[in-house]
Amino acid sequence: MDDRSSLNGALLKTKVLASRIGNQELLKWANSELSGYIDEDDEELPDYRKNIWNALQGTVVNGFTQYNNYEIPTVNLDEEIEHSLRTKNFFDSVNALESLIQEQGVLTSPIRAEIRQILENNWKRMGNPYISIVSCYKIIPKANIVAIISNVRSKLLDFLLAVETEFGESVEIKDLKSKNDEITSIMHQTIINNNGDGNSINTGDQNSLSNHSKRTK
């Protein structure tokens, strides 16, 4: 059995466990990892899916010359806008993330036209009045997505081992039903553990990822 099927299977078993013992918080987490964080609520998103670094590139025209896959500068932008452009939150299901890293090509996420205009105006203020940004997109390193999946696997294992340590290997479901407060506490210590402030602004660039073969000029 490969890691992909074993992780999905482990999450399904966790969902069954959470349902049987009536732990809604654990059930919600398992469902979210299996189906995706559909509400796209930053407060509900675990830290290991937040603020994942990305490059920012695009097609630019400088005078009469076009450059493809060119690094777009963000210096001098508002700090929150720059942060939102240099990072991405991932709401996708584990299966969707695993499918992305199996695809060929570069993972990209497009930037909205009005944000692209902000970037272009900022670049012009930096001393290049002839620059024009034709298109702009985030470049998502596949290694960063692999890290998210590894985090899910590791945190789930930590949780299950902690439950086993606390209540024993042969604990019955009926006994766990009365231990929901303790199980929720273990879950927060091993899985959620949200310490970030979660501050970000919505620049409209949380669109779906796509795969492209990267071509240079």
Side-chain angles (χ1 to χ4, degrees):
M1 181 179 294
D2 61 24
D3 286 343
R4 181 172 179 174
S5 59
S6 64
L7 177 56
N8 198 66
L11 286 167
L12 287 170
K13 290 177 181 178
T14 303
K15 178 178 178 177
V16 171
L17 171 65
S19 179
R20 287 180 176 174
I21 67 177
N23 191 303
Q24 295 303 310
E25 194 161 353
L26 180 60
L27 180 61
K28 183 177 182 180
W29 175 78
N31 277 331
S32 296
E33 291 296 335
L34 285 164
S35 303
Y37 291 78
I38 56 177
D39 291 336
E40 298 200 354
D41 184 349
D42 283 357
E43 293 183 1
E44 296 293 332
L45 198 66
D47 278 357
Y48 56 82
R49 286 174 167 268
K50 289 182 179 180
N51 302 321
I52 308 301
W53 179 87
N54 59 256
L56 191 66
Q57 295 183 0
T59 298
V60 303
V61 174
N62 189 10
F64 297 103
T65 305
Q66 177 173 305
Y67 301 91
N68 299 323
N69 305 312
Y70 200 84
E71 190 73 19
I72 307 296
T74 57
V75 65
N76 298 326
L77 285 175
D78 177 86
E79 184 177 342
E80 290 189 350
I81 293 179
E82 182 176 26
H83 174 75
S84 71
L85 289 169
R86 291 294 183 182
T87 62
K88 182 174 176 63
N89 293 345
F90 284 85
F91 301 90
D92 315 68
S93 69
V94 163
N95 269 345
L97 293 177
E98 288 174 322
S99 294
L100 280 172
I101 61 178
Q102 298 300 319
E103 296 292 333
Q104 298 295 320
V106 175
L107 300 179
T108 65
S109 182
I111 300 298
R112 250 175 30 197
E114 54 267 38
I115 303 301
R116 188 174 72 237
Q117 190 62 54
I118 291 174
L119 287 165
E120 181 178 306
N121 291 340
N122 180 64
W123 204 344
K124 288 178 177 179
R125 286 194 298 270
M126 293 167 60
N128 192 339
Y130 305 108
I131 201 73
S132 176
I133 301 177
V134 178
S135 64
C136 185
Y137 40 84
K138 294 182 174 186
I139 301 291
I140 315 295
K142 289 185 180 180
N144 291 353
I145 299 179
V146 171
I148 295 174
I149 297 169
S150 296
N151 256 307
V152 176
R153 183 180 292 109
S154 177
K155 288 176 179 294
L156 177 55
L157 179 59
D158 287 344
F159 168 76
L160 295 174
L161 289 174
V163 169
E164 181 181 292
T165 299
E166 182 70 21
F167 304 113
E169 294 182 32
S170 56
V171 62
E172 299 288 337
I173 293 294
K174 60 182 176 62
D175 297 322
L176 288 177
K177 286 183 178 180
S178 62
K179 305 293 185 180
N180 264 319
D181 287 344
E182 293 94 325
I183 291 173
T184 299
S185 177
I186 292 172
M187 178 188 171
H188 278 270
Q189 293 170 20
T190 56
I191 295 177
I192 305 302
N193 194 26
N194 277 334
N195 297 316
D197 57 20
N199 291 331
S200 63
I201 65 169
N202 181 12
T203 60
D205 53 333
Q206 301 293 353
N207 300 311
S208 59
L209 292 175
S210 58
N211 291 276
H212 299 287
S213 296
K214 189 172 182 180
R215 297 184 297 272
T216 57
K217 182 179 182 294

